[in-house]
mmCIF file of all heavy atoms in Angstrom:
data_model
loop_
_atom_site.group_PDB
_atom_site.id
_atom_site.type_symbol
_atom_site.label_atom_id
_atom_site.label_comp_id
_atom_site.label_asym_id
_atom_site.label_seq_id
_atom_site.Cartn_x
_atom_site.Cartn_y
_atom_site.Cartn_z
ATOM 1 N N LEU A 1 6.086 -12.944 2.771
ATOM 2 C CA LEU A 1 5.959 -11.494 2.697
ATOM 3 C C LEU A 1 6.474 -10.966 1.349
ATOM 4 O O LEU A 1 6.127 -9.870 0.929
ATOM 5 C CB LEU A 1 6.727 -10.842 3.853
ATOM 6 C CG LEU A 1 6.419 -9.406 4.197
ATOM 7 C CD1 LEU A 1 4.941 -9.190 4.474
ATOM 8 C CD2 LEU A 1 7.240 -8.953 5.378
ATOM 9 N N GLY A 2 7.250 -11.778 0.666
ATOM 10 C CA GLY A 2 7.764 -11.399 -0.646
ATOM 11 C C GLY A 2 6.862 -11.792 -1.803
ATOM 12 O O GLY A 2 7.179 -11.511 -2.959
ATOM 13 N N SER A 3 5.711 -12.404 -1.513
ATOM 14 C CA SER A 3 4.798 -12.796 -2.600
ATOM 15 C C SER A 3 3.937 -11.597 -3.009
ATOM 16 O O SER A 3 3.852 -10.589 -2.298
ATOM 17 C CB SER A 3 3.932 -13.978 -2.169
ATOM 18 O OG SER A 3 3.118 -13.640 -1.079
ATOM 19 N N HIS A 4 3.305 -11.714 -4.151
ATOM 20 C CA HIS A 4 2.539 -10.601 -4.723
ATOM 21 C C HIS A 4 1.270 -10.297 -3.931
ATOM 22 O O HIS A 4 0.555 -11.195 -3.497
ATOM 23 C CB HIS A 4 2.181 -10.902 -6.177
ATOM 24 C CG HIS A 4 3.318 -10.663 -7.103
ATOM 25 N ND1 HIS A 4 4.340 -11.557 -7.267
ATOM 26 C CD2 HIS A 4 3.601 -9.603 -7.896
ATOM 27 C CE1 HIS A 4 5.216 -11.070 -8.130
ATOM 28 N NE2 HIS A 4 4.793 -9.891 -8.526
ATOM 29 N N VAL A 5 0.996 -9.000 -3.794
ATOM 30 C CA VAL A 5 -0.218 -8.524 -3.127
ATOM 31 C C VAL A 5 -1.390 -8.646 -4.097
ATOM 32 O O VAL A 5 -1.296 -8.224 -5.253
ATOM 33 C CB VAL A 5 -0.049 -7.057 -2.669
ATOM 34 C CG1 VAL A 5 -1.341 -6.493 -2.112
ATOM 35 C CG2 VAL A 5 1.074 -6.951 -1.643
ATOM 36 N N VAL A 6 -2.502 -9.238 -3.624
ATOM 37 C CA VAL A 6 -3.688 -9.404 -4.470
ATOM 38 C C VAL A 6 -4.873 -8.563 -3.984
ATOM 39 O O VAL A 6 -5.825 -8.337 -4.729
ATOM 40 C CB VAL A 6 -4.105 -10.881 -4.579
ATOM 41 C CG1 VAL A 6 -3.025 -11.685 -5.308
ATOM 42 C CG2 VAL A 6 -4.388 -11.490 -3.219
ATOM 43 N N ALA A 7 -4.841 -8.114 -2.734
ATOM 44 C CA ALA A 7 -5.901 -7.266 -2.185
ATOM 45 C C ALA A 7 -5.328 -6.473 -1.019
ATOM 46 O O ALA A 7 -4.313 -6.860 -0.439
ATOM 47 C CB ALA A 7 -7.084 -8.112 -1.727
ATOM 48 N N TRP A 8 -5.962 -5.368 -0.685
ATOM 49 C CA TRP A 8 -5.464 -4.535 0.400
ATOM 50 C C TRP A 8 -6.579 -3.658 0.954
ATOM 51 O O TRP A 8 -7.625 -3.475 0.335
ATOM 52 C CB TRP A 8 -4.306 -3.663 -0.075
ATOM 53 C CG TRP A 8 -4.740 -2.501 -0.926
ATOM 54 C CD1 TRP A 8 -4.908 -1.210 -0.528
ATOM 55 C CD2 TRP A 8 -5.096 -2.528 -2.300
ATOM 56 N NE1 TRP A 8 -5.333 -0.441 -1.577
ATOM 57 C CE2 TRP A 8 -5.461 -1.226 -2.694
ATOM 58 C CE3 TRP A 8 -5.139 -3.520 -3.269
ATOM 59 C CZ2 TRP A 8 -5.862 -0.897 -3.971
ATOM 60 C CZ3 TRP A 8 -5.545 -3.204 -4.542
ATOM 61 C CH2 TRP A 8 -5.893 -1.903 -4.890
ATOM 62 N N ALA A 9 -6.322 -3.119 2.148
ATOM 63 C CA ALA A 9 -7.194 -2.121 2.758
ATOM 64 C C ALA A 9 -6.300 -1.139 3.511
ATOM 65 O O ALA A 9 -5.286 -1.524 4.087
ATOM 66 C CB ALA A 9 -8.184 -2.773 3.723
ATOM 67 N N PHE A 10 -6.667 0.135 3.500
ATOM 68 C CA PHE A 10 -5.897 1.196 4.147
ATOM 69 C C PHE A 10 -6.818 1.933 5.110
ATOM 70 O O PHE A 10 -7.914 2.344 4.738
ATOM 71 C CB PHE A 10 -5.347 2.153 3.086
ATOM 72 C CG PHE A 10 -4.621 3.353 3.632
ATOM 73 C CD1 PHE A 10 -3.477 3.205 4.403
ATOM 74 C CD2 PHE A 10 -5.068 4.627 3.351
ATOM 75 C CE1 PHE A 10 -2.802 4.317 4.889
ATOM 76 C CE2 PHE A 10 -4.398 5.749 3.825
ATOM 77 C CZ PHE A 10 -3.264 5.586 4.597
ATOM 78 N N HIS A 11 -6.373 2.092 6.355
ATOM 79 C CA HIS A 11 -7.142 2.780 7.385
ATOM 80 C C HIS A 11 -6.287 3.924 7.922
ATOM 81 O O HIS A 11 -5.178 3.699 8.413
ATOM 82 C CB HIS A 11 -7.517 1.811 8.503
ATOM 83 C CG HIS A 11 -8.148 0.553 7.982
ATOM 84 N ND1 HIS A 11 -9.462 0.485 7.609
ATOM 85 C CD2 HIS A 11 -7.620 -0.670 7.736
ATOM 86 C CE1 HIS A 11 -9.731 -0.732 7.171
ATOM 87 N NE2 HIS A 11 -8.628 -1.448 7.237
ATOM 88 N N ASP A 12 -6.802 5.151 7.836
ATOM 89 C CA ASP A 12 -6.016 6.342 8.136
ATOM 90 C C ASP A 12 -6.511 7.040 9.399
ATOM 91 O O ASP A 12 -7.533 7.724 9.381
ATOM 92 C CB ASP A 12 -6.082 7.292 6.948
ATOM 93 C CG ASP A 12 -5.135 8.470 7.066
ATOM 94 O OD1 ASP A 12 -4.416 8.561 8.087
ATOM 95 O OD2 ASP A 12 -5.098 9.289 6.141
ATOM 96 N N GLY A 13 -5.781 6.872 10.490
ATOM 97 C CA GLY A 13 -6.112 7.529 11.746
ATOM 98 C C GLY A 13 -5.741 8.992 11.794
ATOM 99 O O GLY A 13 -6.014 9.666 12.784
ATOM 100 N N THR A 14 -5.126 9.511 10.723
ATOM 101 C CA THR A 14 -4.762 10.932 10.692
ATOM 102 C C THR A 14 -5.864 11.783 10.083
ATOM 103 O O THR A 14 -5.677 12.975 9.895
ATOM 104 C CB THR A 14 -3.463 11.171 9.887
ATOM 105 O OG1 THR A 14 -3.727 10.977 8.492
ATOM 106 C CG2 THR A 14 -2.337 10.278 10.353
ATOM 107 N N ASP A 15 -6.986 11.172 9.736
ATOM 108 C CA ASP A 15 -8.101 11.880 9.093
ATOM 109 C C ASP A 15 -7.668 12.566 7.803
ATOM 110 O O ASP A 15 -8.133 13.663 7.477
ATOM 111 C CB ASP A 15 -8.733 12.906 10.035
ATOM 112 C CG ASP A 15 -9.406 12.270 11.233
ATOM 113 O OD1 ASP A 15 -9.910 11.133 11.084
ATOM 114 O OD2 ASP A 15 -9.429 12.888 12.303
ATOM 115 N N GLY A 16 -6.746 11.944 7.069
ATOM 116 C CA GLY A 16 -6.301 12.500 5.793
ATOM 117 C C GLY A 16 -5.185 13.510 5.899
ATOM 118 O O GLY A 16 -4.762 14.079 4.901
ATOM 119 N N ASN A 17 -4.673 13.752 7.105
ATOM 120 C CA ASN A 17 -3.595 14.725 7.284
ATOM 121 C C ASN A 17 -2.210 14.094 7.225
ATOM 122 O O ASN A 17 -1.212 14.777 7.402
ATOM 123 C CB ASN A 17 -3.769 15.467 8.616
ATOM 124 C CG ASN A 17 -4.957 16.394 8.587
ATOM 125 O OD1 ASN A 17 -5.123 17.162 7.653
ATOM 126 N ND2 ASN A 17 -5.806 16.292 9.579
ATOM 127 N N GLY A 18 -2.142 12.790 7.009
ATOM 128 C CA GLY A 18 -0.873 12.099 6.894
ATOM 129 C C GLY A 18 -0.604 11.722 5.450
ATOM 130 O O GLY A 18 -1.442 11.933 4.576
ATOM 131 N N PRO A 19 0.557 11.153 5.180
ATOM 132 C CA PRO A 19 0.849 10.725 3.816
ATOM 133 C C PRO A 19 -0.089 9.601 3.400
ATOM 134 O O PRO A 19 -0.534 8.805 4.215
ATOM 135 C CB PRO A 19 2.303 10.251 3.897
ATOM 136 C CG PRO A 19 2.536 9.955 5.332
ATOM 137 C CD PRO A 19 1.623 10.848 6.115
ATOM 138 N N ASP A 20 -0.400 9.565 2.129
ATOM 139 C CA ASP A 20 -1.276 8.536 1.583
ATOM 140 C C ASP A 20 -0.434 7.342 1.149
ATOM 141 O O ASP A 20 0.796 7.384 1.185
ATOM 142 C CB ASP A 20 -2.050 9.103 0.393
ATOM 143 C CG ASP A 20 -3.386 8.418 0.169
ATOM 144 O OD1 ASP A 20 -3.647 7.385 0.819
ATOM 145 O OD2 ASP A 20 -4.171 8.909 -0.659
ATOM 146 N N ILE A 21 -1.084 6.278 0.732
ATOM 147 C CA ILE A 21 -0.363 5.144 0.176
ATOM 148 C C ILE A 21 -0.097 5.433 -1.297
ATOM 149 O O ILE A 21 -0.800 6.248 -1.905
ATOM 150 C CB ILE A 21 -1.151 3.822 0.353
ATOM 151 C CG1 ILE A 21 -2.550 3.926 -0.225
ATOM 152 C CG2 ILE A 21 -1.199 3.416 1.809
ATOM 153 C CD1 ILE A 21 -3.342 2.630 -0.193
ATOM 154 N N PRO A 22 0.920 4.805 -1.894
ATOM 155 C CA PRO A 22 1.217 5.069 -3.303
ATOM 156 C C PRO A 22 0.019 4.765 -4.199
ATOM 157 O O PRO A 22 -0.644 3.748 -4.037
ATOM 158 C CB PRO A 22 2.369 4.117 -3.607
ATOM 159 C CG PRO A 22 2.984 3.813 -2.289
ATOM 160 C CD PRO A 22 1.860 3.871 -1.296
ATOM 161 N N ASP A 23 -0.281 5.662 -5.113
ATOM 162 C CA ASP A 23 -1.378 5.478 -6.062
ATOM 163 C C ASP A 23 -0.852 4.747 -7.293
ATOM 164 O O ASP A 23 0.063 5.212 -7.949
ATOM 165 C CB ASP A 23 -1.948 6.838 -6.458
ATOM 166 C CG ASP A 23 -3.148 6.719 -7.375
ATOM 167 O OD1 ASP A 23 -3.693 5.596 -7.513
ATOM 168 O OD2 ASP A 23 -3.555 7.744 -7.943
ATOM 169 N N ARG A 24 -1.432 3.592 -7.564
ATOM 170 C CA ARG A 24 -0.971 2.778 -8.691
ATOM 171 C C ARG A 24 -2.124 2.471 -9.642
ATOM 172 O O ARG A 24 -2.237 1.382 -10.159
ATOM 173 C CB ARG A 24 -0.330 1.499 -8.183
ATOM 174 C CG ARG A 24 0.928 1.746 -7.350
ATOM 175 C CD ARG A 24 1.484 0.487 -6.730
ATOM 176 N NE ARG A 24 1.499 -0.669 -7.580
ATOM 177 C CZ ARG A 24 2.532 -1.078 -8.314
ATOM 178 N NH1 ARG A 24 3.642 -0.404 -8.281
ATOM 179 N NH2 ARG A 24 2.446 -2.167 -9.046
ATOM 180 N N ASP A 25 -3.011 3.429 -9.852
ATOM 181 C CA ASP A 25 -4.120 3.283 -10.804
ATOM 182 C C ASP A 25 -4.974 2.052 -10.537
ATOM 183 O O ASP A 25 -5.248 1.264 -11.434
ATOM 184 C CB ASP A 25 -3.592 3.251 -12.240
ATOM 185 C CG ASP A 25 -2.862 4.531 -12.617
ATOM 186 O OD1 ASP A 25 -3.288 5.600 -12.153
ATOM 187 O OD2 ASP A 25 -1.875 4.458 -13.362
ATOM 188 N N GLY A 26 -5.389 1.858 -9.290
ATOM 189 C CA GLY A 26 -6.260 0.746 -8.951
ATOM 190 C C GLY A 26 -5.539 -0.540 -8.604
ATOM 191 O O GLY A 26 -6.150 -1.473 -8.119
ATOM 192 N N SER A 27 -4.246 -0.602 -8.845
ATOM 193 C CA SER A 27 -3.454 -1.765 -8.469
ATOM 194 C C SER A 27 -3.092 -1.656 -6.993
ATOM 195 O O SER A 27 -3.197 -0.572 -6.402
ATOM 196 C CB SER A 27 -2.171 -1.833 -9.299
ATOM 197 O OG SER A 27 -2.479 -1.958 -10.662
ATOM 198 N N PRO A 28 -2.641 -2.751 -6.381
ATOM 199 C CA PRO A 28 -2.210 -2.658 -4.979
ATOM 200 C C PRO A 28 -1.128 -1.583 -4.800
ATOM 201 O O PRO A 28 -0.340 -1.338 -5.719
ATOM 202 C CB PRO A 28 -1.648 -4.053 -4.689
ATOM 203 C CG PRO A 28 -2.343 -4.949 -5.655
ATOM 204 C CD PRO A 28 -2.540 -4.121 -6.891
ATOM 205 N N PRO A 29 -1.073 -0.946 -3.634
ATOM 206 C CA PRO A 29 -0.095 0.125 -3.414
ATOM 207 C C PRO A 29 1.347 -0.372 -3.419
ATOM 208 O O PRO A 29 2.265 0.399 -3.664
ATOM 209 C CB PRO A 29 -0.477 0.682 -2.049
ATOM 210 C CG PRO A 29 -1.224 -0.421 -1.380
ATOM 211 C CD PRO A 29 -1.914 -1.177 -2.473
ATOM 212 N N TYR A 30 1.542 -1.647 -3.126
ATOM 213 C CA TYR A 30 2.879 -2.250 -3.151
ATOM 214 C C TYR A 30 2.770 -3.581 -3.891
ATOM 215 O O TYR A 30 1.771 -4.280 -3.767
ATOM 216 C CB TYR A 30 3.408 -2.475 -1.732
ATOM 217 C CG TYR A 30 3.569 -1.178 -0.972
ATOM 218 C CD1 TYR A 30 2.605 -0.779 -0.050
ATOM 219 C CD2 TYR A 30 4.671 -0.355 -1.187
ATOM 220 C CE1 TYR A 30 2.731 0.417 0.633
ATOM 221 C CE2 TYR A 30 4.798 0.840 -0.512
ATOM 222 C CZ TYR A 30 3.832 1.230 0.402
ATOM 223 O OH TYR A 30 3.960 2.421 1.070
ATOM 224 N N VAL A 31 3.803 -3.951 -4.616
ATOM 225 C CA VAL A 31 3.805 -5.219 -5.339
ATOM 226 C C VAL A 31 3.910 -6.379 -4.356
ATOM 227 O O VAL A 31 3.232 -7.393 -4.503
ATOM 228 C CB VAL A 31 4.955 -5.267 -6.377
ATOM 229 C CG1 VAL A 31 5.032 -6.626 -7.045
ATOM 230 C CG2 VAL A 31 4.762 -4.163 -7.412
ATOM 231 N N THR A 32 4.738 -6.210 -3.319
ATOM 232 C CA THR A 32 4.906 -7.240 -2.287
ATOM 233 C C THR A 32 4.860 -6.587 -0.909
ATOM 234 O O THR A 32 4.981 -5.361 -0.778
ATOM 235 C CB THR A 32 6.257 -7.979 -2.424
ATOM 236 O OG1 THR A 32 7.316 -7.074 -2.063
ATOM 237 C CG2 THR A 32 6.485 -8.521 -3.824
ATOM 238 N N GLY A 33 4.723 -7.397 0.124
ATOM 239 C CA GLY A 33 4.793 -6.895 1.484
ATOM 240 C C GLY A 33 6.175 -6.353 1.819
ATOM 241 O O GLY A 33 6.309 -5.405 2.594
ATOM 242 N N LEU A 34 7.207 -6.935 1.232
ATOM 243 C CA LEU A 34 8.575 -6.444 1.463
ATOM 244 C C LEU A 34 8.733 -5.014 0.966
ATOM 245 O O LEU A 34 9.445 -4.206 1.582
ATOM 246 C CB LEU A 34 9.593 -7.360 0.782
ATOM 247 C CG LEU A 34 9.788 -8.729 1.415
ATOM 248 C CD1 LEU A 34 10.742 -9.583 0.573
ATOM 249 C CD2 LEU A 34 10.303 -8.600 2.842
ATOM 250 N N ASP A 35 8.047 -4.682 -0.135
ATOM 251 C CA ASP A 35 8.101 -3.305 -0.642
ATOM 252 C C ASP A 35 7.517 -2.333 0.381
ATOM 253 O O ASP A 35 8.018 -1.222 0.541
ATOM 254 C CB ASP A 35 7.345 -3.196 -1.964
ATOM 255 C CG ASP A 35 8.018 -3.958 -3.086
ATOM 256 O OD1 ASP A 35 9.257 -4.140 -3.051
ATOM 257 O OD2 ASP A 35 7.299 -4.388 -4.015
ATOM 258 N N ALA A 36 6.468 -2.744 1.072
ATOM 259 C CA ALA A 36 5.873 -1.893 2.114
ATOM 260 C C ALA A 36 6.853 -1.708 3.273
ATOM 261 O O ALA A 36 6.989 -0.602 3.807
ATOM 262 C CB ALA A 36 4.561 -2.492 2.605
ATOM 263 N N LEU A 37 7.546 -2.770 3.663
ATOM 264 C CA LEU A 37 8.552 -2.653 4.726
ATOM 265 C C LEU A 37 9.655 -1.689 4.318
ATOM 266 O O LEU A 37 10.108 -0.868 5.127
ATOM 267 C CB LEU A 37 9.161 -4.017 5.052
ATOM 268 C CG LEU A 37 8.267 -5.033 5.750
ATOM 269 C CD1 LEU A 37 9.039 -6.328 5.978
ATOM 270 C CD2 LEU A 37 7.721 -4.502 7.056
ATOM 271 N N ARG A 38 10.087 -1.771 3.081
ATOM 272 C CA ARG A 38 11.147 -0.880 2.587
ATOM 273 C C ARG A 38 10.694 0.579 2.566
ATOM 274 O O ARG A 38 11.512 1.490 2.589
ATOM 275 C CB ARG A 38 11.585 -1.318 1.190
ATOM 276 C CG ARG A 38 12.324 -2.627 1.192
ATOM 277 C CD ARG A 38 12.791 -3.018 -0.218
ATOM 278 N NE ARG A 38 13.330 -4.354 -0.207
ATOM 279 C CZ ARG A 38 12.779 -5.412 -0.828
ATOM 280 N NH1 ARG A 38 11.680 -5.252 -1.546
ATOM 281 N NH2 ARG A 38 13.341 -6.594 -0.753
#
């Protein structure tokens, strides 16, 4: 879970009314899975 993220997908059941994932200019939203847990 601490290794680097190489691909991702985000599915939003709030229809856009919830917080988004961090925008990193086309890069994965988190560097590692541990960052997402944090």
Side-chain angles (χ1 to χ4, degrees):
L1 197 55
S3 62
H4 281 80
V5 174
V6 295
W8 75 99
F10 176 61
H11 310 280
D12 189 0
T14 71
D15 294 329
N17 290 312
D20 207 351
I21 55 175
D23 184 13
R24 296 174 42 95
D25 299 324
S27 299
Y30 298 100
V31 175
T32 70
L34 289 175
D35 293 333
L37 290 179
R38 291 182 188 113

